[in-house]
Amino acid sequence: MGTARLSACVSTTVFVDIEAYWPQKLAALEAYQKEMRAWPHARSITAVEHLGRWRGASVGVEMAEAFMLLREVISS
């Protein structure tokens, strides 16, 4: 299954505000410089930042990461 087809099936249901953590995330991405690529590659720092801002804008915060909730455990 190709990435385009998989992404069409994934439904993000949880968004986490990451604005306060962006400096740490950026440092982590820079630590894996051999894995990163130049813009406009999806694995570029610029692309990761754009995606975070796009996801943030979709839920009303500066930056966010999106996840698909598979199971939620609620303890009383």
Side-chain angles (χ1 to χ4, degrees):
M1 184 180 286
T3 304
R5 186 171 176 194
L6 177 62
S7 65
C9 299
V10 174
S11 175
T12 55
T13 57
V14 177
F15 292 82
V16 178
D17 183 346
I18 64 162
E19 182 183 10
Y21 302 101
W22 175 248
Q24 290 99 326
K25 182 169 178 144
L26 180 59
L29 292 171
E30 289 171 344
Y32 287 92
Q33 194 169 17
K34 286 186 176 182
E35 302 299 324
M36 303 307 290
R37 301 291 182 257
W39 171 258
H41 194 280
R43 219 180 316 146
S44 69
I45 290 175
T46 303
V48 172
E49 182 177 6
H50 283 293
L51 183 58
R53 292 195 183 282
W54 172 259
R55 288 179 171 162
S58 70
V59 293
V61 297
E62 286 293 319
M63 295 186 89
E65 286 192 4
F67 300 93
M68 181 174 59
L69 183 64
L70 298 176
R71 180 178 9 172
E72 183 175 15
V73 178
I74 300 173
S75 59
S76 51

